Amino acid sequence: MKSLMEQMNEAVVHAFEVCGYDGKYARVTVSNRPDLCEFQCNGAMAAAKQYKKAPIVIAQEVAGYLVQSPMFAMAEAVNPGFLNLKVKESCLADYLCEMMDAVDYGDEQTTHPKRIMIDYGGPNIAKPLHVGHLRSAVIGESIKRMGRYVGHEMIGDVHMGDWGLQMGLIITELEARRPDLPYFDESFAGEYPKEAPFTISELEEIYPTASGKSKQDEAYKERAMQATYELQHGRRGYAALLNHILNVSVTDLKKNYKNLNVSFELWKGESDAQPYIPAMVQKMKDDGFAYISKGALVVDVKEETDTREVPPCMILKSDGASLYNTTDLATIVERMEKWHPAKIIYVVDRRQELYFTQVFRCARKTGLVEADTELDFLGFGTVNGKDGRPFKTRDGGTMLLSMLLSDINEQMYQKISENQTMSDEEARQAAKVVALSAVKYGDLSNQASKDYIFDIERFTSFEGNTGPYLLYTIVRIKSILKKYEQTGKSADGKKILPAATESEKALMLEVSRFHGMIAAAFEELAPHKVCAYLYGLANALNHFYHETKILAQEDSEQQAGYIQLLRLCKGIMETCIDVLGFSAPERM
């Protein structure tokens, strides 16, 4: 289904050509003066030079043809050569009826579907999720859903940190506490226990304790580094412990990500890339890309066009140990061998941009990816408190994600309970749904690359550009539709009628802009553009609601048209919030 803008463009192109002008000048855009018109075309100004005519003359000729079109209610030439346009109400109503009858409201999927992997989440094993993990999870999940909506095969990988010094620290501390465990006996040849020797709570306490000790005790740190080295070189007992750590941590991570309505197709970690490292490193050496510099193995990745220094990409440290670079490159090898993606998107803190520049260049230079494989870095800003600094608890500590969600759930519960229109259980369930919208929309409505202020009071408000405001709008539509059905009437088979008021037409125009919006947002990896569309649609809908008697409308055909328009709005809004990763309750 062609978008309304495409249809208008075709009509204006035809008008230019009929009047003897090249259709390339006939580009229609949304008006930057909505007080004067809905759409505009400035092509007459550009065409004036070629045809040696005053722009206003060209615009008048084209407008004279367009006033006969069934598409435009107004086509007006304005000095010095603007073409101001308004779409005809009947044409707009027909377009919305076509949207109603079409699959996905006529929003066509891509004609070139790709397999795209998206690396997001990035939690560290044995550490609880905190507010710093929020953006990667929320933005990554939304982009994955957007890509899937437009027809791509999207594969999300959590890419856990499970291979560095933190593993050695946990092993060292566990040995200090439980030296009798068989994992520390190198002569042990039997089967290791199936149950982990710790709970998630114990594991989350072990790591910070070990980390603190390593900063004060050099010998302790040396033992941890040795344990890390032995784990990475295949010590059997340590590998068994790693499996326990992974199983316990991943079970807890899945529960926490589920609370965020975030899921992953792959639960891979850095450890999964280890088997690919030896052959990758050897190939880099054999092909002449990797060389020794100050004891470390590196690959040069600087380019002549660089305006800043881009250091070599380090592949192995002087002691032969791998780094993040190593595992990220080996992960690319694994992804290419197993899934052959056309694109890999990394949703990571923007402060890692230089690091990923090194990794991407190294991967291309050494042939780890095919020439047409896209490697995209989406760097996000930080979540700050009202003081402009990274968001913290009241006592200055790092805010756990579970604590943050719990606090917002409670605030939403208190607000919803004030209405006293639902049971306690229903209020708590609704609060959970609305709270998630507050958190996710509060993040996604900001451009990903920018820092933003996490203002709980504003995010949980039912007014303004917030998740709860959007959900309240959807719930309002649901309520109207339910009351309409309870009267015994049916709008099935009825059409959306031409707008009778300005607020109705403004709403219909907002609805019409849905076509292609999600695809354009995905192309730019910009969930905030879906949010902007949603907010505009919600505002237009509420304006229409306040100015229109819907349930009190006496004309049954007109009322049925209103109901169909609301059904269309509800479906589109629910599609958009699903793409953003949250849903709407039945009542609030």
Side-chain angles (χ1 to χ4, degrees):
M1 177 178 171
K2 290 181 180 178
S3 71
L4 184 63
M5 187 69 80
E6 287 174 322
Q7 293 180 29
M8 284 192 289
N9 261 310
E10 288 179 357
V12 177
V13 165
H14 180 66
F16 265 75
E17 290 175 346
V18 166
C19 294
Y21 305 110
D22 196 320
K24 70 181 181 182
Y25 296 112
R27 180 172 173 267
V28 178
T29 60
V30 174
S31 173
N32 56 19
R33 286 291 305 276
D35 55 317
L36 299 177
C37 58
E38 296 158 354
F39 302 92
Q40 65 188 64
C41 173
N42 302 338
M45 256 88 78
K49 185 176 181 180
Q50 178 179 339
Y51 294 99
K52 296 181 174 56
K53 282 186 179 181
I56 189 64
V57 173
I58 297 174
Q60 287 171 339
E61 289 179 39
V62 174
Y65 183 84
L66 287 175
V67 291
Q68 309 168 49
S69 166
M71 179 166 282
F72 297 104
M74 182 189 86
E76 183 179 66
V78 179
N79 279 318
F82 297 116
L83 188 60
N84 290 351
L85 305 168
K86 285 187 179 180
V87 68
K88 194 167 284 188
E89 285 77 3
S90 57
C91 174
L92 183 56
D94 289 344
Y95 180 77
L96 265 59
C97 288
E98 192 178 351
M99 286 180 71
M100 280 285 290
D101 295 337
V103 176
D104 289 334
Y105 311 109
D107 204 19
E108 297 174 356
Q109 293 196 334
T110 178
T111 53
H112 302 289
K114 299 176 182 177
R115 176 176 289 168
I116 300 173
M117 298 193 76
I118 179 163
D119 185 316
Y120 66 109
N124 287 315
I125 290 302
K127 294 182 185 178
L129 293 176
H130 56 75
V131 72
H133 293 106
L134 180 66
R135 300 214 73 187
S136 182
V138 168
I139 296 168
E141 180 71 16
S142 177
I143 290 171
K144 184 179 74 175
R145 288 169 177 244
M146 289 162 62
R148 192 167 287 157
Y149 176 82
V150 300
H152 297 297
E153 179 188 355
M154 304 297 292
I155 303 173
D157 184 0
V158 70
H159 195 69
M160 299 173 289
D162 64 355
W163 197 243
L165 179 59
Q166 70 193 64
M167 296 298 108
L169 287 166
I170 294 169
I171 291 169
T172 302
E173 181 60 22
L174 192 60
E175 183 175 17
R177 298 182 184 193
R178 301 280 302 279
D180 57 311
L181 292 174
Y183 310 98
F184 308 114
D185 181 359
E186 291 193 68
S187 64
F188 182 79
E191 286 194 16
Y192 293 108
K194 292 183 179 179
E195 293 295 319
F198 41 72
T199 63
I200 185 62
S201 298
E202 290 169 335
L203 192 58
E204 289 177 352
E205 181 272 326
I206 286 172
Y207 174 71
T209 299
S211 180
K213 284 184 179 181
S214 71
K215 292 171 184 174
Q216 312 234 335
D217 186 339
E218 192 60 37
Y220 185 94
K221 184 177 181 180
E222 286 293 330
R223 292 201 301 276
M225 292 174 69
Q226 181 61 28
T228 304
Y229 178 86
E230 291 181 25
L231 168 66
Q232 294 182 355
H233 285 78
R235 181 162 166 175
R236 184 169 166 266
Y238 290 179
L241 268 179
L242 176 62
N243 284 332
H244 285 317
I245 294 168
L246 285 171
N247 290 336
V248 170
S249 290
V250 169
T251 299
D252 187 64
L253 284 170
K254 286 183 177 180
K255 179 182 71 176
N256 280 286
Y257 278 124
K258 185 178 180 180
N259 289 335
L260 269 178
N261 198 21
V262 169
S263 63
F264 301 90
E265 285 63 49
L266 299 175
W267 286 83
K268 294 279 189 177
E270 292 176 272
S271 59
D272 290 288
Q274 299 309 304
Y276 298 88
I277 290 176
M280 178 188 78
V281 170
Q282 191 59 51
K283 186 176 185 303
M284 288 180 177
K285 290 178 179 176
D286 293 345
D287 291 347
F289 295 117
Y291 66 95
I292 300 296
S293 175
K294 298 180 182 177
L297 188 70
V298 303
V299 172
D300 281 330
V301 292
K302 63 181 179 181
E303 296 178 357
E304 290 183 5
T305 55
D306 289 337
T307 56
R308 61 174 179 174
E309 184 181 356
V310 180
C313 184
M314 191 181 298
I315 308 301
L316 294 176
K317 294 197 289 188
S318 56
D319 62 0
S322 59
L323 306 98
Y324 286 127
N325 309 52
T326 326
T327 52
D328 273 322
L329 288 165
T331 297
I332 289 174
V333 173
E334 180 186 20
R335 288 170 177 167
M336 295 306 296
E337 286 190 9
K338 289 186 175 180
W339 293 281
H340 310 286
K343 178 189 285 191
I344 307 175
I345 304 169
Y346 292 79
V347 184
V348 190
D349 190 310
R350 71 179 180 202
R351 290 170 292 190
Q352 296 193 44
E353 183 176 7
L354 176 59
Y355 167 79
F356 277 97
T357 296
Q358 292 173 293
V359 170
F360 291 172
R361 287 184 181 182
C362 185
R364 291 200 181 284
K365 184 174 183 177
T366 60
L368 303 188
V369 295
E370 295 171 7
D372 58 351
T373 304
E374 298 177 61
L375 299 172
D376 279 1
F377 171 77
L378 176 57
F380 54 79
T382 57
V383 180
N384 296 327
K386 290 183 180 180
D387 59 359
R389 297 178 179 177
F391 194 80
K392 300 284 185 181
T393 59
R394 287 173 184 164
D395 60 5
T398 300
M399 173 71 82
L400 296 183
L401 206 47
S402 57
M403 185 188 305
L404 179 68
L405 292 176
S406 177
D407 285 352
I408 296 180
N409 283 346
E410 187 59 33
Q411 287 198 35
M412 292 312 312
Y413 168 71
Q414 295 298 334
K415 289 187 177 185
I416 290 173
S417 296
E418 289 172 4
N419 294 333
Q420 299 180 336
T421 58
M422 58 180 76
S423 67
D424 184 74
E425 182 181 351
E426 190 180 3
R428 289 212 174 269
Q429 186 56 40
K432 188 176 180 181
V433 174
V434 180
L436 186 61
S437 80
V439 172
K440 287 198 161 188
Y441 189 83
D443 188 306
L444 294 170
S445 57
N446 297 278
Q447 189 172 333
S449 61
K450 296 182 178 179
D451 300 344
Y452 76 93
I453 303 295
F454 197 95
D455 186 341
I456 293 179
E457 187 175 335
R458 183 172 72 82
F459 288 176
T460 56
S461 173
F462 286 87
E463 297 178 355
N465 190 10
T466 69
Y469 169 70
L470 297 177
L471 297 198
Y472 184 76
T473 302
I474 295 172
V475 169
R476 169 175 275 167
I477 300 174
K478 288 182 177 182
S479 176
I480 295 170
L481 296 179
K482 187 175 182 180
K483 288 177 181 176
Y484 177 78
E485 290 169 3
Q486 288 172 343
T487 65
K489 299 177 183 178
S490 173
D492 293 348
K494 303 294 185 179
K495 290 185 175 293
I496 296 172
L497 301 179
T501 64
E502 287 188 14
S503 65
E504 185 178 6
K505 189 177 186 184
L507 173 58
M508 293 169 75
L509 283 169
E510 284 295 331
V511 171
S512 73
R513 292 180 181 124
F514 173 72
H515 195 287
M517 179 272 301
I518 294 177
F522 175 71
E523 189 66 27
E524 296 180 41
L525 303 181
H528 71 279
K529 295 201 169 182
V530 179
C531 295
Y533 171 78
L534 257 176
Y535 183 53
L537 179 58
N539 281 340
L541 200 152
N542 284 311
H543 189 206
F544 165 73
Y545 168 81
H546 286 299
E547 290 198 352
T548 310
K549 292 180 179 179
I550 299 173
L551 294 175
Q553 172 61 242
E554 294 180 357
D555 185 323
S556 60
E557 288 296 311
Q558 183 68 68
Q559 187 181 52
Y562 289 157
I563 293 300
Q564 291 292 56
L565 176 58
L566 291 183
R567 283 179 178 172
L568 180 57
C569 289
K570 172 179 169 289
I572 286 175
M573 290 189 76
E574 287 179 331
T575 296
C576 290
I577 64 172
D578 181 67
V579 158
L580 296 176
F582 55 92
S583 58
E586 290 303 308
R587 295 200 296 157
M588 284 171 66

